[in-house]
Amino acid sequence: QVLRKSLQRGLALSTGSFLVYEAHKLIFGFAEVHASFKVEEVIEQADYLYGSGETEKLYRLLVQHKNSDDAELLWRLARASRDLAQLSSTSAEEKRRLAYEALEYAKKALEKNEANFAAHKWYGICLSDVGDFEGIKTKIGNAIVIKEHFQRAIELNPKDATTIHLIGIWCYSFAEMPWYQRKIAATLFATPPTSTFQEALRYFHMAEEADPNFYSKNLLFLGKTYLKLNNKKMALLWLSKAKEYPAHTEEDKQV
């Protein structure tokens, strides 16, 4: 009888422990599912606001999730911070703060998921922006790292027209680099990075092939590059397309 009672008590305890364990799994499992649904919800709202050009609302939405571990949220926050910094209504002091903030979010996105192409893309963009505040030497010094991140982004997503365009911009910048900047580059690198307008043109056309008419700035730089190559007929064609592009954002208006 004593043995039977002990076994019954042990079984009851085991059953109780099992139920507690199952309840624990259920509650925490639900919390995880709920959290993932919440992330998806925020991303959906963020993409809608981005598509609507609501830069300030987008930043306010995403900055609430700055401590998230989700790379998809973090790179979007980096982009939103950077877009807010680009607005003409943003003060010089705020532009600087937001540029460094954007870089931190992009860096965190990369740490959370190295295989996320957008995290590489926005890390490269934000690192370039910070160079504007740290001087030409830092900007040139970061150039190789920036290009490596753009190339990694293309490896992960070969169809992303924006990243292809950004490598075109990189090539264009080095092709038109003035002599004094070339001297700085020569002091920083054993083999300084170089490029040509022909190489830049190839990337701008590749971006256009990946996603036709996707970005006013790509149209503008196709025109500018053809001008550099003394092909005024083709320059006029692409500059006309840039001029006629529907202006949805402040950048489109500047273009």
Side-chain angles (χ1 to χ4, degrees), residues 23-39:
H24 181 273
K25 269 205 323 185
L26 186 67
I27 291 162
F28 281 86
F30 176 76
E32 282 173 24
V33 170
H34 181 69
S36 74
F37 273 125
K38 192 179 178 187
V39 167

Side-chain angles (χ1 to χ4, degrees), residues 162-186:
T162 313
T163 313
I164 300 168
H165 162 83
L166 289 166
I167 294 189
I169 293 286
W170 190 97
C171 295
Y172 186 97
S173 302
F174 274 92
E176 73 162 0
M177 186 178 276
W179 66 269
Y180 67 91
Q181 290 185 12
R182 290 186 195 280
K183 286 193 81 171
I184 294 170

